[in-house]
Amino acid sequence: MRLSDYFLPTLREDPAEAQIVSHRLMLRAGLVRQASAGIYSWLPLGLRVLRKVEQIVREEQDAAGAQELLMPTIQSAELWQESGRYDGYGKEMLRITDRHDREMLYGPTNEELITDIFRQTIRSYKDLPKNLYHIQWKFRDEVRPRFGVMRGREFLMKDAYSFDLDYESARKSYNRMFVSYLRTFARLGLQAIPMQADTGPIGGDLSHEFIILADTGESEVFCHKDYLAFDALSEITGYDGDLASVVDKWTSLYAATDEKHDPGQAVELGENLISARGIEVGHIFYFGTKYSKAMGATVAGLNGEELIPEMGSYGIGVSRLVGALIEAYHDDDGIIWPDSVAPFSVGVINLRTGDVDCDTACENIVNKLKATGQDVLYDDRDERAGAKFATMDLIGLPWQVIIGPRGLKNGVIELKRRATGEREELSLDSAFSKLCG
């Protein structure tokens, strides 16, 4: 993609309304633009990141045995009245009346709707277990939306819902989702720490929040320092076998949000305790028969008896993760994307657009990189070098290839790693080999 053709409306100055790093940089780097309070349009660069985050989430859900469907954003109020949540959910729910005076709502979550689908389609114990998920836009009418996509009113969520015959099976489903979250966040380049959490309006008696540590996090969290050495990808290679031991390890050390923090534990742990800011990126719940019983979702057992399935729900804030990644990975010059979610893997900078040798060298390496499957953003604009460097640092692509007449005369180009700032001069072939190696 040529930057001269790309829709990338960057800003030189920090927007006055942006209070945290991710909001400032998402606006400055041209990822999003505000449509109204807490609601954002995703521009091409931001959408590329959002789709990459979404795909990693999807791959790990699929690997864990969950099956994807897609439920509507607008739901019938009748389902929520059946479960008993309609009147008590609060003003965060956007309530709508259609032209036939039927009460509807813009779904803030989907426990009722998925339970309705289940009770219409699943009849026998032989059809369990089931874990169904979707990735869908949601709306919660926050009284004070702030921090950009970190606490917006409209957001993209992954929700999974498990159905099992008994507690033991339900706990296995919970453990699979627990493990899938560890792997998902690790693949995104994040160290997520599971912390026991309140179940809130979802309900139930078992819940974990997955928290990443970031200086600009929204709340105070406490955890054992050994969590920082845990490596989900090397320790968890798949979903076969009993995953309880994995869950036990990742919950054996102290970890608590400020609401759950025990000051006595802080004294006991001493120097082993980390006190930091944290950002919630995922939340999982086991709530048993809360919805299946209320809504009459039953299956026939082995002897024809009526059984009420045990349920759990599992959420990841996909759009929120984009902001969380920026909170975790940035410097004074801009965003530093992890390789796995970068909108483009390489930015090629032509220091003298219009120079035949520079143009030819840039075109050659762009075409060679694209042929190997690399996503390349080529800055071919007729701009001064400083402006090009500033743009590339702001948008945070992992690699920068810098090509100018002086280097070409010496048979070299410059390669810069955005995360470290390390620069080196290499031949075109050597640079290509390093980028594709």
Side-chain angles (χ1 to χ4, degrees):
M1 175 60 69
R2 291 176 177 270
L3 190 49
S4 60
D5 296 328
Y6 199 59
F7 182 49
L8 185 64
T10 57
L11 303 174
R12 290 186 178 181
E13 303 296 331
D14 288 336
E17 71 272 22
Q19 297 176 291
I20 62 171
V21 169
S22 59
H23 193 191
R24 293 197 297 269
L25 290 177
M26 290 185 78
L27 291 171
R28 285 195 57 212
L31 274 67
V32 297
R33 284 295 181 268
Q34 182 170 303
S36 61
I39 301 174
Y40 291 86
S41 297
W42 289 77
L43 306 186
L45 196 74
L47 186 60
R48 290 179 72 93
V49 178
L50 186 66
R51 291 290 180 250
K52 290 195 173 186
V53 171
E54 179 183 340
Q55 186 57 27
I56 289 174
V57 171
R58 175 177 287 111
E59 288 170 4
E60 289 300 326
Q61 289 293 288
D62 292 346
Q67 301 176 56
E68 187 171 9
L69 46 69
L70 182 60
M71 289 176 275
T73 56
I74 303 298
Q75 301 179 31
S76 168
E78 291 181 359
L79 295 177
W80 286 66
Q81 289 162 353
E82 279 191 66
S83 72
R85 283 207 299 174
Y86 185 66
D87 293 328
Y89 198 88
K91 292 184 178 180
E92 288 76 23
M93 180 188 289
L94 183 63
R95 300 159 197 262
I96 306 163
T97 302
D98 70 12
R99 64 170 65 193
H100 302 291
D101 290 327
R102 288 182 295 237
E103 291 183 274
M104 312 291 286
L105 59 98
Y106 193 128
T109 184
N110 285 77
E111 283 79 12
E112 285 81 1
L113 190 51
I114 196 67
T115 304
D116 183 51
I117 292 171
F118 178 89
R119 70 183 177 181
Q120 292 182 51
T121 54
I122 303 296
R123 305 296 184 192
S124 170
Y125 76 98
K126 295 179 181 179
D127 296 319
L128 298 183
K130 284 287 184 292
N131 193 329
L132 306 171
Y133 80 96
H134 72 163
I135 300 173
Q136 176 221 50
W137 290 96
K138 299 188 180 302
F139 187 90
R140 294 177 189 165
D141 200 4
E142 295 276 354
V143 62
R144 286 185 296 274
R146 60 194 188 277
F147 305 153
V149 302
M150 294 289 289
R151 186 161 293 181
R153 293 195 294 166
E154 186 182 54
F155 49 94
L156 188 63
M157 281 283 292
K158 186 284 303 181
D159 300 289
Y161 302 93
S162 61
F163 297 84
D164 289 275
L165 283 176
D166 51 38
Y167 173 79
E168 290 73 20
S169 299
R171 188 58 198 262
K172 288 180 180 178
S173 294
Y174 187 93
N175 290 348
R176 289 175 78 84
M177 287 294 101
F178 187 105
V179 166
S180 78
Y181 277 39
L182 293 176
R183 284 188 50 84
T184 296
F185 299 130
R187 286 185 60 190
L188 292 169
L190 299 170
Q191 177 72 298
I193 300 171
M195 301 188 179
Q196 285 193 356
D198 290 323
T199 57
I202 301 295
D205 55 9
L206 176 62
S207 175
H208 285 91
E209 289 180 6
F210 289 78
I211 304 288
I212 64 168
L213 305 184
D215 291 340
T216 50
E218 59 199 332
S219 60
E220 191 172 14
V221 297
F222 305 85
C223 68
H224 196 291
K225 69 178 183 180
D226 286 356
Y227 270 115
L228 303 184
F230 284 12
D231 185 351
L233 292 181
S234 66
E235 296 172 12
I236 311 167
T237 57
Y239 296 96
D240 295 329
D242 182 11
L243 299 175
S245 60
V246 176
V247 176
D248 288 345
K249 175 182 176 179
W250 283 79
T251 57
S252 62
L253 300 177
Y254 184 73
T257 59
D258 51 356
E259 298 93 345
K260 293 277 190 175
H261 180 51
D262 177 4
Q265 286 281 349
V267 174
E268 185 176 331
L269 288 172
E271 295 182 355
N272 288 320
L273 182 73
I274 293 175
S275 173
R277 307 297 295 179
I279 299 171
E280 180 191 340
V281 289
H283 204 158
I284 63 176
F285 306 83
Y286 160 74
F287 43 70
T289 61
K290 175 179 177 177
Y291 298 94
S292 51
K293 184 176 183 179
M295 298 180 67
T298 62
V299 297
L302 177 63
N303 300 310
E305 70 276 25
E306 191 175 81
L307 301 176
I308 303 174
E310 304 270 338
M311 293 178 59
S313 71
Y314 317 91
I316 290 178
V318 177
S319 54
R320 180 183 176 85
L321 270 169
V322 178
L325 282 159
I326 295 172
E327 293 292 332
Y329 294 106
H330 68 272
D331 61 16
D332 291 341
D333 295 319
I335 303 166
I336 305 172
W337 291 117
D339 290 13
S340 59
V341 296
F344 296 90
S345 52
V346 183
V348 174
I349 301 173
N350 188 338
L351 293 181
R352 188 169 294 175
T353 301
D355 178 274
V356 174
D357 290 338
C358 287
D359 291 349
T360 300
C362 287
E363 294 283 356
N364 284 342
I365 197 162
V366 166
N367 290 333
K368 287 180 71 175
L369 288 168
K370 288 169 64 178
T372 65
Q374 298 272 3
D375 291 325
V376 184
L377 183 62
Y378 172 29
D379 191 345
D380 63 331
R381 298 173 300 163
D382 185 16
E383 283 275 5
R384 59 185 178 84
K388 295 187 175 188
F389 293 148
T391 297
M392 282 296 176
D393 282 347
L394 175 62
I395 65 176
L397 308 186
W399 291 99
Q400 297 174 20
V401 175
I402 304 161
I403 299 177
R406 183 180 302 173
L408 288 178
K409 187 176 293 185
N410 297 321
V412 297
I413 63 172
E414 192 171 15
L415 189 62
K416 176 183 174 180
R417 182 65 168 164
R418 175 68 178 91
T420 63
E422 179 185 357
R423 295 170 178 258
E424 57 181 326
E425 291 187 338
L426 300 166
S427 68
L428 274 169
D429 288 342
S430 296
F432 175 79
S433 297
K434 186 161 188 173
L435 290 168
C436 300

